[in-house]
């Protein structure tokens, strides 16, 4: 330790004597280390985040798997977990409520809880009605997780009783935002979907969400889901074939995880194999696994993992370039210390002792760069958060915790060793006699004269150019991808459209009242100044939502029906005109067809709600009108007139239903993208909208955002309990689904530019060093009449040659590893020649500029001064 302390003090004194060298080296390392720390802090916050619960090691989540998907079930994970394959060997984490009760009563765990999204909910009674994100949980949820209240109490097992007074718990951040952090909020009565609830407490501030990105404003008892969503959950709540909740459990300290898993696995097999209507067979090999909650509850992080991994690779390459850059600086500085090192060796110093001293100096530099890098990382991470999560929907909050600081310390030490090792060995590899007799400059000149082409400095510059090409190639491909997505023709006009969601059912509207409300609002909004047309539909195009349905039809020329699938959307009569989707054949819907769709919806609802043992009401016998897109016609009815063709649901509304009347095609419209810009157009069916929650589309003559306030006023005047949700322009929806692509394109471009800058600084530094080492040679050439243009060409040629060698190597590596980006690309191949040519030209152009400055300086050398230079 005393020797280490002396080495550190000596290193600090040396660096203090060369402030310019130290500053440049520290800043270069800070850029590389800071970039790595910033991206790692995001990776830590998204992927490696610790669950905000007590003793997460003993918390597990139940996951099922089988060779085939269970039959006749509906399931949902609400984005908390990553669902397995839906093809062969599927898996999932959602279960039925009866199975949850079996697990809870098994006595295998110390506590068991279930949770699920409460579907769309509206809160009123605290100012204007607002849409809130609500999670339904069982009474043991908070005790199982070990969450404490910040105010009042949390939900408890007695709250599971359907006859208990409805209670809710607020998220701490939502309490601060909606209730101003007032303690009087506890005990206040508000309405959720028009049902009175009493606020009983506020959760602790650290509990933002159980899984990343799934942030809920409040929690309600699971037993109240059928109360606030009666149409959806009144029947399916207790069905064994309805898998809609997730189960988490805490292991008993004295029960091994393997034994607990065997017990619940047996329960699961009994449930799916021996139910009244078995969902699986023995040959399907159903099984249940206890997955650590830390690994299972990944949330939205799965959507960012690939991008973050690519960025980690990119910043890793930037760090390598920084290391090579600083290694070049250290290499040049070591030349001036050759005489010092020779004297110390001659006086008996051990080479290993000097090696440790030189490495200590490098590590001190790297630690200083790491300290400054932490500051840059804090700023950079928060700038990236604004880019990714500007509206704070994910609750992303990267922090410089112990894991991040440990990463920074480790990478700083590694960096110090990496860039210091080669120059240190080279400094110690010298002959004492010539080093002691000659000056440092002369020795350096001799050395460079012997090994100029294969010098370590040349190798470092070539490596920097190669690494820069790899980063630039990746950045170019990702920017090309973003450009391709932005230029995709969606099949409709996305300009000047304002969209918003309405869910009148949450405010207590009955089905027949919903249609009347939509009609009135349609006419009132259409009458506003600046409005060109208005429509509403079940989904918003290019907003990430999708409704698909199986059906069967009889292909032309065949007699037997076949199964098929299409995307579905329910629309109002002005939808195609508002979205400017061209009508290719036939017509759109008539008012009578909307009435017919409403009648069928009423009949379907009556059949679902029919009591056991009663005869369900008959379904209408007239097929529902449908407008299909061109792809639907080309795929399913090629070569024939599609108008009047019929197709039907794949299954009836219930096992005892009569043959479905299905749909009849009355019109054909152009193809339009539905869910995403990346997904190709699918066969799509448009049907009349009736009784459903809807999204309004308002086309305007100017800025659509100017209509937000007038439309809010219309809604407020009509009903203060009616929330207007997700108000955005169509362009903002497209920007939202491109957020990942935009983020990675911006970051990769920034890091590509940084890599290019560092590589060219390295090239400039080496050539400047070469010019200074060859001052005498240049003076002799000029004294003998060498042309200045030839001298410039000599130096520039060396720089371009080094950049060219590095570029060739970088291109080869970029092509070899380009397939790693394939999942992130769209409309461009990893070997895209245009991108490749562009980055090569860019690097060589910048290298030319970096080489010209020292070359130009070489021609200003006075021959007499150069000849006197030793």
């Amino acid at each position: 330790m005393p020797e280490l302390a002396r080495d550190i003090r000596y290193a600090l004194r040396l660096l203090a004597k060369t402030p310019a060298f130290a500053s440049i080296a520290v800043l270069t390392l800070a850029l590389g280390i800071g970039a790595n720390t910033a991206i790692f802090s995001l990776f830590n916050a998204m992927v490696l985040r610790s669950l905000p619960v007590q003793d997460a090691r003993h918390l597990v989540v139940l996951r099922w798997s089988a060779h085939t998907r269970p039959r006749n079930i509906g399931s949902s994970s609400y984005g908390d977990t990553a669902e397995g394959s839906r093809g062969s060997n599927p898996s999932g984490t959602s279960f039925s409520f009866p199975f949850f009760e079996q697990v809870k009563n098994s006595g295998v765990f110390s506590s068991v809880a279930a949770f699920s999204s409460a579907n769309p909910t509206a809160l009123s009674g605290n100012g204007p009605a607002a849409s809130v994100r609500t999670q339904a949980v069982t009474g043991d949820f908070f005790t199982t997780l070990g969450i404490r209240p910040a105010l009042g109490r949390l939900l408890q097992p007695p709250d599971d009783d359907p006859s208990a007074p409805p209670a809710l718990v607020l998220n701490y951040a939502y309490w601060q935002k909606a209730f101003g952090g007032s303690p009087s909020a506890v005990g206040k009565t508000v309405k959720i979907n028009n049902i009175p609830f009493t606020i009983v407490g506020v959760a602790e501030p650290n509990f933002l969400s159980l899984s990343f990105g799934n942030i809920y404003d409040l929690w309600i008892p699971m037993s109240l889901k059928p109360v606030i969503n009666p149409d959806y959950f009144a029947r399916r709540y207790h069905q064994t074939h309805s898998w809609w909740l997730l189960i988490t459990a805490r292991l008993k300290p004295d029960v091994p995880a393997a034994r607990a898993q065997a017990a619940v696995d047996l329960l699961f097999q009994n449930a799916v194999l021996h139910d009244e209507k078995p969902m699986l067979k023995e040959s399907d090999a159903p099984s249940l696994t206890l997955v650590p909650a830390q690994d299972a509850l990944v949330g939205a992080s799965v959507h960012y993992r690939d991008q973050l991994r690519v960025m980690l690779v990119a910043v890793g390459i930037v760090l390598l370039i920084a290391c090579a850059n600083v290694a070049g600086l250290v290499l040049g500085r070591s030349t001036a210390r050759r005489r010092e090192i020779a004297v110390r060796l001659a006086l008996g110093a051990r080479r290993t002792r000097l090696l440790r001293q030189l490495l200590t100096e490098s590590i001190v530099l790297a630690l200083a760069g790491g300290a400054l890098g932490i500051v840059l990382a804090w700023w950079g991470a928060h700038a990236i958060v604004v880019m990714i999560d500007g509206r704070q929907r994910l609750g992303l909050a990267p922090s410089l915790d112990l894991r991040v600081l440990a990463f920074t310390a480790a990478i700083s030490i590694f960096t110090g060793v990496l860039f210091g090792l080669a120059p240190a060995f080279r400094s110690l590899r010298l002959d004492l006699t010539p080093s002691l007799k000659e000056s440092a400059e002369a020795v350096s000149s001799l050395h460079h004269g012997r090994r100029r082409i294969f010098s370590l400095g040349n190798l470092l510059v070539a490596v920097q150019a190669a690494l820069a090409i790899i980063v630039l190639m990746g950045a170019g491909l990702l920017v090309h991808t973003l450009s391709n997505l932005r230029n995709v023709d969606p099949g409709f006009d996305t300009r000047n459209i304002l969209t918003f969601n309405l869910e009148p059912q949450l405010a207590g509207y009955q089905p027949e009242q919903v249609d009347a409300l939509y009609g009135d609002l349609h006419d009132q909004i259409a009458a506003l100044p600046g409005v060109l047309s208005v429509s509403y539909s079940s989904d918003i195009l290019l907003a990430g939502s999708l409704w698909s349905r199986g059906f069967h039809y009889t292909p032309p020329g065949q007699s037997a029906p076949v199964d098929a699938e299409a995307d579905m959307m329910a629309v109002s009569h002005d939808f195609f005109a508002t979205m400017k989707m061209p009508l290719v054949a036939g017509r759109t819907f008539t008012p009578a067809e909307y009435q017919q769709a409403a009648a069928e919806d009423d009949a379907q609802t009556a059949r679902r709600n029919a009591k056991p043992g009663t005869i369900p009401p008959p379904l209408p016998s007239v097929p529902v009108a449908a407008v299909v897109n061109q792809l639907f016609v080309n795929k399913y009815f090629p070569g024939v007139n599609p108008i009047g063709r019929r197709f039907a649901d794949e299954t009836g509304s219930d096992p005892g239903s009569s043959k479905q009347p299905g749909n009849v095609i009355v019109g054909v419209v152009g193809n339009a993208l539905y869910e995403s810009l990346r997904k190709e157009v699918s066969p799509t069916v448009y049907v009349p909208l009736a009784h459903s929650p809807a999204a309004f589309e308002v086309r305007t003559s100017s800025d659509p955002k100017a209509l937000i306030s007038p439309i809010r006023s219309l809604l407020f005047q009509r009903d203060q309990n009616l929330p207007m949700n997700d108000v955005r322009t169509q362009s903002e929806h497209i920007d939202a689904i491109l957020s990942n692509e935009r983020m990675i394109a911006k970051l990769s471009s920034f890091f590509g530019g940084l890599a290019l800058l560092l590589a060219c600084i390295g090239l400039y530094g080496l050539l400047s060093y070469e010019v200074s080492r060859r001052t005498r040679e240049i003076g002799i050439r000029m004294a003998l009449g060498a042309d200045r243009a030839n001298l410039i060409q000599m130096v520039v040629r060396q720089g371009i040659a080094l950049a060219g060698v590095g570029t060739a190597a970088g291109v080869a590596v970029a092509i070899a590893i380009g397939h790693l980006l394939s999942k992130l690309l769209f409309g461009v191949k990893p070997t895209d020649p245009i991108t490749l040519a562009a980055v090569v030209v860019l690097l060589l152009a910048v290298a030319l500029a970096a080489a010209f400055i020292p070359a130009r300086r070489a021609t200003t050398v006075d021959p007499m001064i150069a000849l006197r230079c030793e």
Side-chain angles (χ1 to χ4, degrees):
M1 291 300 292
E3 286 187 352
L4 179 60
R6 285 197 299 270
D7 288 345
I8 293 175
R9 287 196 298 270
Y10 183 67
L12 292 174
R13 286 200 303 270
L14 283 178
L15 293 176
K17 291 180 180 179
T18 54
F21 164 79
S23 300
I24 294 173
V26 168
L27 181 58
T28 300
L29 293 172
L31 291 172
I33 295 173
N36 278 268
T37 302
I39 297 299
F40 181 78
S41 68
L42 293 173
F43 191 79
N44 178 56
M46 290 186 185
V47 180
L48 304 179
R49 66 189 287 271
S50 300
L51 286 180
V53 301
Q54 290 185 8
D55 191 18
R57 295 178 299 111
H58 292 94
L59 195 68
V60 296
V61 170
L62 278 62
R63 176 183 290 276
W64 62 265
S65 61
H67 291 334
T68 58
R69 183 170 176 78
R71 289 171 286 279
N72 301 321
I73 70 160
S75 64
S76 178
S77 69
Y78 310 102
D80 288 295
T81 60
E83 289 293 287
S85 169
R86 291 185 175 272
S88 59
N89 300 317
S91 63
T93 51
S94 56
F95 297 90
S96 67
F97 187 81
F99 181 73
F100 160 70
E101 290 184 314
Q102 292 181 41
V103 175
K104 182 178 180 180
N105 296 329
S106 66
V108 174
F109 305 101
S110 60
S111 60
V112 182
F115 56 97
S116 75
S117 171
N119 296 81
T121 50
L123 184 145
S124 56
N126 184 49
S131 177
V132 291
R133 294 164 292 184
T134 305
Q135 188 173 42
V137 300
T138 56
D140 289 323
F141 179 76
F142 291 105
T143 55
T144 300
L145 301 182
I147 306 300
R148 297 185 177 90
L151 189 68
R153 70 172 179 87
L154 303 180
L155 296 179
Q156 300 170 353
D159 294 313
D160 284 334
D161 189 341
S163 62
L168 67 83
V169 172
L170 298 176
N171 176 293
Y172 188 91
Y174 183 74
W175 171 57
Q176 293 284 335
K177 181 182 71 172
F179 295 88
S182 172
S184 62
V186 175
K188 184 176 182 178
T189 298
V190 294
K191 289 185 177 181
I192 301 294
N193 290 5
N194 229 24
I195 306 298
F197 279 74
T198 300
I199 301 172
V200 299
V202 179
E204 62 181 77
N206 293 332
F207 186 61
L208 290 176
S209 64
L210 191 57
S211 59
F212 172 73
N214 278 7
I215 300 177
Y216 294 98
D217 300 318
L218 48 92
W219 293 271
I220 63 171
M222 185 77 74
S223 59
L224 293 176
K225 283 194 74 168
V227 177
I228 64 172
N229 296 115
D231 292 340
Y232 190 65
F233 273 100
R235 293 187 316 109
R236 68 185 301 224
Y237 189 87
H238 291 283
Q239 288 181 345
T240 58
H241 284 240
S242 179
W243 295 11
W244 55 272
L245 52 76
L246 283 72
I247 302 174
T248 183
R250 189 167 291 279
L251 296 169
K252 288 183 177 180
D254 57 339
V255 177
R259 196 166 84 188
Q261 178 170 305
V264 293
D265 184 37
L266 182 60
L267 289 177
F268 178 70
Q269 292 189 39
N270 286 334
V272 298
L273 297 177
H274 306 298
D275 187 71
E276 181 180 350
K277 296 178 181 178
M279 293 164 268
L280 290 169
K281 301 176 182 179
E282 292 275 0
S283 58
D284 295 326
S287 64
L288 190 144
T289 308
L290 300 181
V291 183
Q294 181 72 53
D295 299 332
L297 298 171
V298 293
S301 66
V302 295
H303 303 302
Y304 295 91
R305 284 184 175 181
D306 290 337
Q307 289 88 339
L308 287 174
R309 285 168 180 155
V310 169
M311 287 298 99
L312 283 173
V313 172
V315 295
I317 293 176
V318 169
L319 182 60
L320 290 177
I321 295 174
C323 288
N325 206 326
V326 176
L329 293 174
V330 174
L331 187 64
R333 182 170 174 264
S334 66
T335 302
R337 299 180 63 187
R338 294 176 69 86
R339 188 177 181 87
E340 170 206 340
I341 293 172
V343 170
R344 294 177 69 178
L345 287 172
L347 293 176
R350 299 190 311 274
R351 291 180 184 267
T352 55
R353 179 71 181 82
L354 291 177
L355 178 63
R356 190 176 71 184
Q357 171 64 51
L358 294 173
L359 285 179
T360 301
E361 295 173 17
S362 299
I363 292 173
V364 168
L365 267 179
L367 290 175
L372 179 58
I374 289 177
V375 178
L376 297 178
W378 184 88
W379 173 83
H382 284 79
I384 297 172
V385 167
V386 172
M387 187 188 308
I388 298 175
D389 192 24
R391 301 178 70 173
Q392 289 297 305
R393 293 178 179 272
L394 299 174
L396 183 59
S399 61
L400 302 179
D401 58 17
L402 289 178
R403 183 186 286 134
V404 175
L405 294 176
F407 170 83
T408 305
I411 202 172
S412 298
I413 295 173
F414 170 76
T415 299
V417 174
L418 184 63
F419 76 75
L421 202 57
F425 276 121
R426 187 174 183 276
S427 297
L428 296 176
R429 196 177 65 250
L430 50 79
D431 294 330
L432 293 183
T433 302
S435 297
L436 291 171
K437 285 183 178 180
E438 303 292 342
S439 67
E441 289 81 359
V443 173
S444 177
S445 180
L446 290 172
H447 179 78
H448 279 265
R450 291 192 304 267
R451 300 184 61 192
R452 187 172 299 154
I453 297 177
F454 302 103
S455 68
L456 178 60
N458 289 354
L459 177 62
L460 289 174
V461 171
V463 167
Q464 290 181 74
L467 294 174
I469 278 290
I470 296 172
V471 180
L472 286 170
M473 186 66 181
L477 292 172
L478 294 170
V479 170
H480 199 165
T481 288
L482 179 62
S483 176
N484 288 343
L485 287 169
R486 283 176 170 169
N487 292 328
V488 167
D489 179 11
F492 62 95
D493 189 350
T494 62
R495 297 168 297 178
N496 294 344
I497 297 180
L498 180 71
T499 67
F500 61 91
N501 290 325
L502 281 184
E503 298 188 64
Q505 293 88 340
L506 305 185
Y509 282 70
Q510 297 303 311
E512 60 277 5
Q513 296 174 309
V514 170
D515 293 339
L517 171 68
Y518 290 163
D520 292 346
L521 287 177
H522 176 279
D523 296 340
Q524 292 174 346
I525 295 173
L528 291 174
V531 174
L532 298 179
S533 61
V534 183
S535 65
Y536 45 92
S537 56
S538 57
D539 294 294
I540 297 174
L541 291 174
L542 295 181
S545 56
L546 181 67
W547 167 26
S548 297
R549 190 187 76 183
F551 65 92
H552 58 259
Y553 76 107
T554 303
Q558 297 185 24
S559 58
V562 297
D563 293 335
E565 187 177 21
D567 295 340
M568 303 289 297
M569 179 178 282
V571 301
S572 69
H573 61 282
D574 286 335
F575 177 79
F576 303 111
T578 300
M579 304 308 292
K580 294 188 177 181
M581 295 171 59
L583 182 66
V584 177
R587 59 175 177 81
T588 58
F589 304 118
T590 65
E593 288 166 340
Y594 282 94
Q595 296 176 0
Q596 176 192 341
E600 180 174 1
D601 184 79
D602 291 338
Q604 294 280 13
T605 302
R607 292 177 69 85
R608 286 195 299 268
N609 296 333
K611 295 182 179 180
T614 62
I615 300 176
L619 289 172
S621 58
V622 179
V624 176
V627 173
V628 299
N629 67 351
Q630 285 180 296
L631 183 62
F632 185 98
V633 174
N634 295 339
K635 186 172 183 178
Y636 300 130
F637 296 103
V640 299
N641 182 7
I643 306 302
R645 296 281 177 167
R646 294 176 59 170
F647 56 95
D649 287 348
E650 191 172 32
T651 59
S653 60
D654 57 59
S657 65
S658 59
K659 184 177 180 180
Q660 299 296 296
N663 298 88
V664 59
I665 300 175
V666 299
V668 180
V669 294
N671 296 327
L673 294 173
Y674 189 160
E675 177 188 14
S676 168
L677 290 171
R678 283 182 174 269
K679 185 179 178 181
E680 295 183 355
V681 174
S682 299
T684 306
V685 177
Y686 302 92
V687 295
L689 186 145
H691 301 347
S692 300
F696 273 70
E697 300 93 8
V698 182
R699 182 172 291 279
T700 64
S701 58
S702 56
D703 182 10
K705 290 186 176 181
L707 270 296
I708 295 177
S709 181
I711 293 174
R712 283 192 188 277
S713 298
L714 283 178
L715 287 172
F716 190 79
Q717 292 171 10
R718 183 176 183 96
D719 190 342
Q720 298 182 17
N721 294 323
L722 192 61
M724 180 180 176
N725 306 324
D726 200 18
V727 184
R728 298 194 216 180
T729 65
Q730 184 69 61
S731 298
E732 287 175 333
H733 280 294
I734 295 175
D735 286 342
I737 64 175
L738 290 179
S739 59
N740 282 6
E741 287 82 0
R742 187 168 53 254
M743 172 200 73
I744 194 170
K746 287 183 178 180
L747 290 180
S748 62
S749 298
F750 173 78
F751 293 129
L754 182 58
L756 182 64
L757 175 64
L758 291 176
C760 290
I761 289 175
L763 177 63
Y764 169 79
L766 174 74
L767 293 180
S768 297
Y769 170 73
E770 285 291 319
V771 169
S772 66
R773 294 301 93 199
R774 300 172 65 181
T775 301
R776 184 178 179 85
E777 175 194 343
I778 292 172
I780 293 174
R781 288 174 179 268
M782 294 182 65
L784 294 176
D787 185 63
R788 291 179 181 271
N790 290 336
L791 290 176
I792 292 177
Q793 188 180 44
M794 177 185 69
V795 179
V796 170
R797 188 189 304 118
Q798 181 184 2
I800 294 299
L802 292 175
V805 171
T807 297
V811 167
V813 175
I815 292 175
I817 65 174
H819 67 279
L820 299 177
L821 288 176
S822 297
K823 290 174 62 177
L824 303 179
L825 302 182
F826 177 83
V828 59
K829 296 181 179 179
T831 56
D832 179 51
I834 296 177
T835 304
L836 184 61
V839 299
V840 168
V841 170
L842 175 62
L843 180 63
L844 293 179
V846 176
L848 177 63
F852 181 78
I853 298 175
R856 179 68 179 84
R857 190 169 65 237
T859 64
T860 63
V861 175
D862 187 333
M864 298 305 296
I865 296 176
L867 290 172
R868 288 197 297 266
C869 180
E870 187 174 53

